[in-house]
Amino acid sequence: MSAALAAVPVVVRPKAAGGCSDAPVLKERGQREVFCGLTGIIWLHRKIQDAFFLIVGSRTCAHLMQSAAGVMIFAEPRFGTAIIDERDLAGMSDANDELDRVVAQLLSRRPDIKLLFLVGSCPSEVIKLDLSRAAERLGRSYSPNVRVLNYSGSGIETTFTQGEDACLAALVPGLPATNVKSLMVVGALADVVEDQFRRLFAAIGIADVQFLPPRRSTLLPVVGPNTHYLLAQPFLADTARALEGRGATRLEAPFPLGVEGTTAWFEAAAREWNIPDAKFQAAIAPAATRASAALSRIRHQLAGKRIFFFPDSQLEIPLARFLSRELEMNLVEVGTPFLHRQHLATELEMLPAGTMLSEGQHVENQLDRCRAAQPDIVVCGLGLANPLEAEGMTTKWAIELVFTPIQGYEQAADLAELFARPLVRRAKLAA
Ligand code: SF4
């Protein structure tokens, strides 16, 4: 436990000897039940307010996005699909001409767009449409008013949160260079969370904090050899690599979920900035104390309950750490699409020793394990939730955890509630 954490009344278990740092991981390679990386657009287009995401794909991609982002019909949408028709499959020039035409139409109608992402999909990858060349070509035409970038959200070999990783990694080469010591928070966070974090960093004594992605494309963070970055999301391997390619250094920390994770996350920056411990503790104590009190009111609903994670969002390991250590839940299996050992080193250390970890997916085998274990609650993708509910299990959609503000002190109890609510509802139905 960190020194700073000792000052706040959070109930945590002592680190299990060794945690799960060297624990064996069941590697599964079979059928997977996950959304594709296009889904990341749903939260990214709300975050970067002057960006537009143009999916270069098929009607299937358009339907997925329309149904997944159905809530966005209230606003002028900031994503769309350039449909590659079947006729385009025969001739590449058709597809490029069509793309240029759609982009010209879009940009003349929407002068508010300052950053245009061409988002690759399975169809554009199948016909090998070179979107990086298309982005360069279009970028030259529309510069300096509109910057055009590209990334892939294709469902081939990706999971849904990797869309964000690919998008942020595409932004990194264009970040302005600096030699000044700076802190960057990396990963899309709800604006309310970003504001809370900014205030807490200021109270700790780190005033100039930058966020990637920024709220506007004109506010890109600067990067260089004295940039230290904190990952706010665990699924940003490519972005991290790109930032390190620009000289930045990652601050080792667990993710800011729960009181313990949030404290250790801020503490990693405070240590790098040589903030005196007393100042750090004074800055975080009010929020940490409030969050601990809020968690203690929910704990009895979750303590002792058994939870099973199907691999979906890559948030599984930090969530499992929070639920087991701060809410006393028992982990039956923690599945993750990918296990990035380096970025999750602290998280793995903090998991209870002996936790069953799995990476990748063989959905039938995993369903068998889940049915045999009969957990109290299952975290899974949308496709599995209904069949499991029909079998009498209580489920939580993994995607909801990505859409909901769950990071930081003020959100710790909301995060716990997301797991408590379905259990309480099930208990009421059974009563
Ligand atoms: S990118 Fe691929 S997986 Fe995603 S909706 Fe389009 S076709 Fe389907």
Side-chain angles (χ1 to χ4, degrees):
M1 196 193 307
S2 66
L5 191 63
V8 298
V10 57
V11 178
V12 291
R13 296 172 181 180
K15 260 184 207 176
C20 283
S21 303
D22 305 314
V25 177
L26 174 66
K27 298 208 182 216
E28 297 213 294
R29 299 290 175 262
Q31 197 195 326
R32 300 181 310 157
E33 288 279 343
V34 284
F35 274 148
C36 69
L38 296 185
T39 329
I41 292 170
I42 298 167
W43 62 92
L44 287 167
H45 89 288
R46 279 189 234 167
K47 186 75 209 172
I48 318 176
Q49 291 157 15
D50 55 359
F52 192 95
F53 294 80
L54 184 65
I55 301 159
V56 186
S58 64
R59 287 182 207 289
T60 311
C61 310
H63 288 148
L64 168 86
M65 288 306 292
Q66 266 160 17
S67 36
V71 285
M72 293 313 298
I73 51 171
F74 302 114
E76 168 105 50
R78 273 188 283 107
F79 62 86
T81 313
I83 307 282
I84 306 173
D85 283 328
E86 263 133 52
R87 69 187 162 85
D88 298 331
L89 298 175
M92 198 69 72
S93 61
D94 277 2
N96 275 311
D97 291 348
E98 176 72 1
L99 183 59
D100 290 7
R101 195 184 58 75
V102 172
V103 168
Q105 231 173 30
L106 173 70
L107 295 180
S108 69
R109 199 170 56 81
R110 300 280 301 272
D112 54 309
I113 297 170
K114 298 285 173 244
L115 173 61
L116 175 66
F117 286 105
L118 304 180
V119 186
S121 64
C122 305
S124 59
E125 285 189 4
V126 166
I127 66 166
K128 301 210 176 341
L129 186 59
D130 190 338
L131 285 186
S132 65
R133 287 206 18 216
E136 267 176 45
R137 181 179 71 238
L138 290 162
R140 277 195 300 275
S141 306
Y142 294 101
S143 167
N145 293 339
V146 185
R147 190 193 321 218
V148 185
L149 298 175
N150 74 290
Y151 72 88
S152 170
S154 151
I156 303 169
E157 288 302 312
T158 62
T159 65
F160 77 99
T161 47
Q162 282 176 288
E164 176 176 332
D165 189 20
C167 173
L168 300 195
L171 281 171
V172 173
L175 302 185
T178 181
N179 279 324
V180 176
K181 181 161 183 169
S182 58
L183 178 64
M184 193 194 292
V185 172
V186 183
L189 292 168
D191 287 353
V192 55
V193 175
E194 194 179 301
D195 291 341
Q196 287 165 10
F197 281 5
R198 214 183 276 282
R199 282 196 295 273
L200 263 176
F201 277 119
I204 290 166
I206 309 172
D208 191 16
V209 183
Q210 316 176 84
F211 289 81
L212 181 71
R215 293 188 194 185
R216 301 193 66 79
S217 66
T218 44
L219 301 172
L220 285 174
V222 294
V223 68
N226 292 312
T227 301
H228 297 269
Y229 71 93
L230 272 171
L231 288 179
Q233 303 286 9
F235 40 74
L236 298 173
D238 288 350
T239 309
R241 211 171 298 124
L243 285 169
E244 282 162 25
R246 299 280 313 265
T249 310
R250 183 175 64 88
L251 295 173
E252 176 68 47
F255 290 88
L257 299 178
V259 179
E260 189 181 30
T262 304
T263 301
W265 189 81
F266 276 104
E267 199 183 26
R271 221 179 295 120
E272 179 58 41
W273 262 255
N274 291 320
I275 306 294
D277 202 40
K279 183 171 181 183
F280 174 72
Q281 290 191 35
I284 60 139
T289 307
R290 255 195 327 272
S292 299
L295 283 182
S296 66
R297 286 192 288 273
I298 303 168
R299 189 171 298 113
H300 70 279
Q301 292 169 341
L302 293 170
K305 295 283 192 300
R306 299 165 69 245
I307 187 163
F308 190 109
F309 285 89
F310 279 81
D312 204 68
S313 63
Q314 294 194 53
L315 284 165
E316 295 85 1
I317 288 177
L319 287 172
R321 178 264 303 159
F322 164 64
L323 294 170
S324 69
R325 291 171 67 88
E326 296 189 49
L327 293 155
E328 298 169 24
M329 291 188 83
N330 295 323
L331 308 174
V332 178
E333 175 169 338
V334 183
T336 180
F338 302 102
L339 181 59
H340 195 299
R341 283 198 172 270
Q342 221 182 339
H343 292 175
L344 289 166
T346 326
E347 296 284 356
L348 288 169
E349 253 175 55
M350 294 162 88
L351 278 181
T355 303
M356 158 89 180
L357 297 173
S358 61
E359 182 188 20
Q361 190 162 40
H362 185 302
V363 73
E364 290 303 331
N365 289 354
Q366 202 166 27
L367 280 167
D368 288 347
R369 293 198 297 275
C370 182
R371 288 184 186 117
Q374 287 294 310
D376 294 296
I377 184 165
V378 180
V379 182
C380 60
L382 287 171
L384 291 176
N386 279 348
L388 286 172
E389 287 276 344
E391 290 178 30
M393 296 209 198
T394 304
T395 62
K396 175 90 248 152
W397 297 347
I399 199 163
E400 214 184 316
L401 298 156
V402 183
F403 290 161
T404 314
I406 56 170
Q407 293 82 6
Y409 294 121
E410 309 298 337
Q411 282 64 237
D414 298 345
L415 176 55
E417 284 279 1
L418 287 177
F419 295 92
R421 231 176 284 132
L423 284 167
V424 169
R425 196 173 51 232
R426 171 74 64 172
K428 277 191 185 148
L429 285 174

